[in-house]
């Protein structure tokens, strides 16, 4: 299979290729399905991948079309990132199928707005789980969120990301007036930059959950902010302040779009991450005050998986 | 300045665009500005023949494409020897959504135009951006 790769794509050592034919990959750690109101987030850190033969294994999982897309990326670093993204999606989804569907077998299609979704084969004796997923990447991390049956959007951004344009100029151009006003209350430029990035990830996650593309929900038309909530404190909840993240249309302030709930947190000490998930309006337990649950794994598919939910890798969660 | 042999040159005399970001937005009295490319070395830009179009306007001029390449390379911090041409797709260059809006803002500032979000959605290549820019600039000066 390795001859399909462009020879100068990776610094492959010919010895290792000659010795090791492409064996079938080791099994993946299966995962139980997400429960209601729960998002599972799997992330990979490209720099942790040192083994070139692993890249071959990942390449082997992709469809011919995906392979071509990877090779069209400009340069080795971008190609590796694109390859890891596809491998992450395929391996992550496979974990939820009880070993019935291999990563290589998945098929994908786009909804009419271009949002990717799983296209399941027909099975006689098994109903595939209605998995919803969304991916996001930066040059130093790729994340894949999974939920059951309800649309989900994920966005990650490096905490240290610098913008070329002035933060308030960007905000005035793309954010809602309420959001701009909030950013202006922040005294120093660093806080402004951090809050801009956090707000950006939330807005991106929302638009991606909606699945209608960037122009389907223009950033200027909606506000995301914190709202004081009236919920009783649930024991075990890590945050003690009674605030939640809400979204409202600029044209209808005060009317919250309760169909969506959010989580914003820091991931791996390097990134801000935002998740937006649709609420199940039919479920009486999914009332507006019940917040999103989160389980997070760091992974290097076929090599190692580590659940990092209750660790320092996931912190400062706001829902 | 290298000789430009592409077929995308408009025949009528048209104003050129300022490379500097001093072109203010909302400059409705804009009739003509001077243009200069200042760089240490020329990127390896291959000028493609403009695709046939049914509408009256031509595909963007090479100077516009070059300027867009410059702004894109700066935003994405690409090295001088990274090939960026009219055919380059933003996604293949590693631009994410924040990069894209920053590039759009950079283009708005450089060319004195405003790009609507719907139009921005349809831009996938450098050439698309350059064509849109010329359409918008033409709309302003007419």
């Amino acid at each position: 299979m390795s001859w399909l790769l462009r020879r100068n794509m990776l610094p492959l050592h010919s010895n290792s290729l000659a010795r090791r034919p492409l064996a079938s990959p080791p099994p993946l750690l299966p995962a139980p399905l997400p429960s209601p109101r729960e998002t599972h987030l799997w992330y990979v850190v490209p720099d942790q991948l040192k083994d070139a033969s692993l890249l071959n294994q990942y390449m082997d999982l992709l469809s011919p079309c995906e392979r071509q897309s990877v090779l069209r990326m400009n340069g080795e670093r971008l190609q590796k990132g694109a390859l890891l993204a596809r491998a992450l999606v395929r391996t992550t989804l496979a974990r939820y199928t009880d070993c019935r569907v291999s990563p290589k077998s998945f098929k994908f299609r786009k909804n009419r707005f271009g949002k990717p979704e799983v296209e399941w084969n027909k099975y006689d004796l098994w109903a595939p789980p209605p998995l919803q997923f969304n991916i996001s990447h930066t040059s130093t991390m790729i994340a894949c969120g999974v939920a059951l049956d309800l649309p989900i959007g994920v966005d990650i951004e490096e905490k240290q990301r610098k913008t070329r344009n002035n933060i308030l100029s960007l905000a005035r151009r793309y954010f809602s007036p309420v959001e701009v006003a909030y950013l202006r209350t922040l005294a120093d430029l660093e806080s402004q930059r951090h809050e801009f990035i956090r707000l950006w990830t939330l807005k991106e996650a929302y638009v991606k959950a909606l699945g209608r593309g960037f122009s389907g929900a223009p950033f200027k038309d909606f506000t995301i902010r914190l709202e004081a909530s009236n919920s009783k404190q649930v024991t075990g909840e890590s945050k003690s302040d009674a605030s939640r993240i809400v979204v409202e249309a600029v044209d209808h302030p005060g009317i919250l779009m309760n169909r969506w709930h959010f989580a914003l947190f820091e991931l791996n000490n390097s990134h801000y991450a935002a998740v937006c998930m649709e609420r199940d309006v039919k479920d009486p337990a999914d009332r507006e005050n019940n917040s999103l649950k989160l389980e997070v794994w760091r992974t290097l598919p076929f090599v190692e998986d580590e659940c990092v939910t209750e660790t320092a890798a996931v912190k400062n969660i706001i829902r | 300045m290298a000789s430009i042999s592409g077929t995308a040159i408009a025949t009528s005399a048209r104003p050129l665009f300022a490379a500097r970001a001093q072109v203010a937005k909302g400059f409705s009295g804009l009739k003509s500005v001077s243009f200069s490319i200042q760089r240490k070395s020329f990127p390896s830009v291959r000028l493609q023949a403009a695709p046939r179009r049914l509408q009256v306007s031509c595909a963007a001029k090479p100077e516009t494409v070059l300027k867009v390449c410059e702004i894109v390379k700066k935003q994405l911090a690409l090295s001088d020897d990274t090939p960026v041409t009219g055919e380059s797709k933003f996604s293949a260059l590693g631009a994410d959504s924040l990069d894209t809006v920053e590039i759009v803002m950079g283009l708005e500032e450089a060319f004195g135009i405003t790009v609507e979000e719907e139009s921005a959605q349809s831009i996938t290549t450098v050439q698309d951006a350059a064509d849109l820019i010329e359409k918008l600039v033409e709309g302003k000066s007419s």
Side-chain angles (χ1 to χ4, degrees):
Chain A
M1 283 294 171
S2 58
W3 54 263
L4 282 173
L5 296 172
R6 263 204 301 206
R7 276 162 41 89
N8 60 354
M9 172 184 165
L10 299 159
L12 299 174
H13 301 295
S14 54
N15 292 345
S16 62
L17 283 182
R19 271 204 306 265
R20 241 188 303 172
L22 215 56
S24 52
L28 287 163
L29 178 77
L33 293 174
S35 45
R37 294 192 316 284
E38 186 173 69
T39 293
H40 287 185
L41 193 72
W42 297 77
Y43 71 92
V44 64
V45 177
D47 289 341
Q48 286 177 357
L49 200 162
K50 310 276 189 222
D51 181 359
S53 69
L54 198 52
L55 284 171
N56 281 344
Q57 287 196 357
Y58 294 158
M59 199 55 136
D60 192 44
L61 303 176
L62 271 51
S63 69
C65 194
E66 286 172 339
R67 262 179 228 140
Q68 281 181 19
S69 293
V70 165
L71 294 176
R72 272 200 294 266
M73 296 298 285
N74 201 319
E76 208 174 281
R77 188 182 62 80
L78 290 175
Q79 286 179 1
K80 182 179 168 187
L83 172 56
L84 280 174
R86 293 320 300 162
L88 180 65
V89 173
R90 286 174 170 275
T91 54
T92 300
L93 292 173
R95 297 173 196 273
Y96 295 100
T97 65
D98 223 0
C99 299
R100 284 175 218 260
V101 185
S102 70
K104 199 175 161 74
S105 319
F106 275 90
K107 290 198 186 48
F108 298 92
R109 59 167 180 241
K110 296 201 170 151
N111 77 1
R112 61 195 168 108
F113 301 104
K115 182 177 183 181
E117 49 189 35
V118 180
E119 187 176 325
W120 295 101
N121 289 332
K122 298 274 182 291
Y123 296 92
D124 285 332
L125 298 169
W126 177 65
L131 297 174
Q132 295 273 340
F133 73 94
N134 194 234
I135 56 166
S136 174
H137 44 126
T138 67
S139 54
T140 50
M141 184 191 283
I142 304 155
C144 179
V146 181
L148 204 58
D149 211 17
L150 291 159
I152 175 179
V154 172
D155 195 56
I156 57 172
E157 203 49 77
E158 286 175 355
K159 282 167 64 177
Q160 292 313 310
R161 177 160 188 162
K162 302 282 188 286
T163 58
R164 296 226 173 258
N165 293 280
N166 169 266
I167 292 290
L168 286 179
S169 302
L170 275 170
R172 273 191 295 265
R173 177 75 177 77
Y174 290 106
F175 282 8
S176 75
V178 169
E179 291 163 342
V180 175
Y182 166 64
L183 288 172
R184 295 184 71 178
T185 64
L186 302 168
D188 69 292
L189 291 179
E190 262 304 277
S191 305
Q192 264 189 10
R193 190 183 60 78
H194 279 278
E195 288 307 291
F196 175 86
I197 303 283
R198 292 165 88 221
L199 208 38
W200 182 275
T201 59
L202 280 167
K203 290 172 82 76
E204 269 289 294
Y206 171 64
V207 171
K208 291 172 83 178
L210 273 175
R212 281 194 257 133
F214 198 70
S215 62
F219 270 24
K220 253 197 180 323
D221 292 354
F222 65 91
T223 293
I224 294 188
R225 58 179 178 80
L226 277 182
E227 159 108 337
S229 74
N230 299 320
S231 61
K232 294 196 183 64
Q233 292 312 301
V234 178
T235 45
E237 276 284 295
S238 53
K239 293 298 281 182
S240 57
D241 58 56
S243 295
R244 59 197 178 107
I245 301 173
V246 296
V247 58
E248 64 189 8
V250 166
D251 290 343
H252 303 284
I255 300 175
L256 305 177
M257 297 194 275
N258 283 321
R259 251 175 75 215
W260 304 96
H261 51 175
F262 296 86
L264 176 68
F265 50 101
E266 284 182 40
L267 193 52
N268 200 43
N269 284 317
S270 57
H271 283 71
Y272 291 122
V275 173
C276 176
M277 207 172 115
E278 190 174 334
R279 288 183 195 281
D280 184 355
V281 293
K282 299 187 300 295
D283 178 7
D286 200 350
R287 277 184 240 291
E288 55 181 73
N289 295 329
N290 285 345
S291 47
L292 191 66
K293 288 180 285 183
L294 199 59
E295 291 288 324
V296 186
W297 286 264
R298 184 187 58 77
T299 178
L300 193 55
F302 306 133
V303 177
E304 60 177 5
D305 305 306
E306 187 194 347
C307 182
V308 295
T309 308
E310 300 290 322
T311 72
V314 182
K315 60 184 192 193
N316 297 335
I317 307 173
I318 303 178
R319 301 173 216 253
Chain B
M1 204 161 155
S3 65
I4 297 167
S5 58
T7 56
I9 306 268
T11 49
S12 57
R14 296 182 61 197
L16 300 171
F17 303 100
R20 301 269 170 213
Q22 274 129 10
V23 178
K25 279 207 297 204
F27 206 110
S28 54
L30 191 65
K31 291 283 187 276
S32 70
V33 286
S34 64
F35 178 61
S36 59
I37 304 174
Q38 281 157 10
R39 55 161 56 76
K40 299 190 288 287
S41 63
F42 249 92
S44 55
V45 175
R46 207 168 304 152
L47 299 170
Q48 306 289 328
R52 260 185 196 279
R53 285 161 190 266
L54 291 176
Q55 64 243 45
V56 175
S57 58
C58 302
K61 292 163 60 187
E63 298 96 87
T64 311
V65 174
L66 275 175
K67 182 63 191 167
V68 174
C69 288
E70 223 179 82
I71 290 173
V72 168
K73 285 177 90 157
K74 202 163 125 188
Q75 174 62 35
L76 303 179
L78 302 175
S79 60
D80 273 340
D81 54 358
T82 306
V84 179
T85 68
E87 292 173 329
S88 299
K89 290 184 88 160
F90 289 115
S91 54
L93 293 172
D96 64 13
S97 53
L98 184 49
D99 287 315
T100 306
V101 304
E102 289 223 79
I103 288 168
V104 169
M105 263 184 82
L107 297 175
E108 289 180 330
E109 245 171 80
F111 292 100
I113 50 174
T114 304
V115 179
E116 299 303 314
E117 287 197 60
E118 298 77 44
S119 319
Q121 266 294 78
S122 62
I123 297 175
T124 48
T125 63
V126 169
Q127 187 73 48
D128 291 342
D131 293 345
L132 179 62
I133 287 162
E134 295 223 340
K135 204 164 83 170
L136 290 171
V137 171
E138 199 164 339
K140 273 180 60 112
S141 57
S142 60

